[in-house]
Amino acid sequence: ALSEKGYSKTADEPVTIFNYENGFSDRPLPDGFSIICLEDENDTQKIHNVLWKGFNHGRNPDDDLDCRLQMQSAPNFRRDLTTIIKAPNDEYACFAGIWIDGVNDFAYLDPLATDPEYRGLGLATIAVTESMKRTAAHGASYCFGGAGEFYFKIGFEAVCRCEFWAK
């Protein structure tokens, strides 16, 4: 019907969830790294650095911190649920933002990023798992994730597909 009206599909991707009934993995944190939440420490510059680098924008982040502050003012944002993994040098190595919908008992990850310098250590898996455990303690029974292969590797399952159309 959309094609007949001049639209064409531009992309599609799976919608993934992690069902908390399946249990959580227990992966050890590498030596020298630590887990914190934003209630423990909230360094906007370090958040900006890990997200900038983690989303492959380059090694030298710009100086626009307003977007990081704005994220923390959004509805449903909770500092106690957001997980950060600190590197031995005190920089943020991984950031897992997680949000909870208290009406429908689900959580959703956004954003999730690991500094390329620390990839391959399992930090994102540890951060996502810690964040999901925190939302489970607040009544969530599942979590929406992303479409990348990473999510399938740690136990997320596709429940449907999302299509994008343009005219």
Side-chain angles (χ1 to χ4, degrees):
L2 288 171
S3 296
E4 291 173 6
K5 296 193 181 277
Y7 289 87
S8 60
K9 184 166 53 168
T10 58
D12 73 33
E13 63 184 33
V15 175
T16 62
I17 66 163
F18 186 98
N19 186 335
Y20 292 1
E21 289 179 358
N22 293 338
F24 301 107
S25 67
D26 189 22
R27 188 170 186 156
L29 196 61
D31 289 340
F33 288 82
S34 59
I35 297 174
I36 63 169
C37 71
L38 284 183
E39 277 190 332
D40 300 330
E41 179 180 308
N42 190 356
D43 187 319
T44 308
Q45 184 65 58
K46 289 181 184 180
I47 293 167
H48 185 59
N49 291 348
V50 70
L51 293 176
W52 180 273
K53 293 173 189 176
F55 284 110
N56 300 320
H57 295 302
R59 296 300 308 159
N60 301 311
D62 65 18
D63 58 357
D64 179 17
L65 301 181
D66 290 339
C67 61
R68 307 306 175 204
L69 295 171
Q70 187 175 12
M71 176 181 68
Q72 293 186 30
S73 69
N76 298 328
F77 181 84
R78 296 203 18 207
R79 291 179 180 179
D80 60 323
L81 301 177
T82 298
T83 301
I84 295 169
I85 298 183
K86 286 178 71 170
N89 66 1
D90 208 39
E91 290 299 315
Y92 294 173
C94 183
F95 183 97
I98 196 163
W99 307 70
I100 190 167
D101 176 304
V103 176
N104 299 300
D105 297 328
F106 70 84
Y108 53 100
L109 287 164
D110 187 39
L112 173 64
T114 302
D115 184 320
E117 183 177 333
Y118 302 105
R119 290 183 183 157
L121 301 175
L123 301 180
T125 301
I126 294 166
V128 167
T129 301
E130 178 67 22
S131 292
M132 290 190 303
K133 287 178 181 178
R134 291 176 185 178
T135 61
H138 290 280
S141 57
Y142 62 97
C143 181
F144 284 95
E149 189 60 32
F150 163 78
Y151 293 95
F152 294 107
K153 287 181 181 178
I154 66 168
F156 280 78
E157 301 175 49
V159 293
C160 63
R161 294 197 70 79
C162 181
E163 296 180 346
F164 302 90
W165 292 75
K167 192 165 189 175

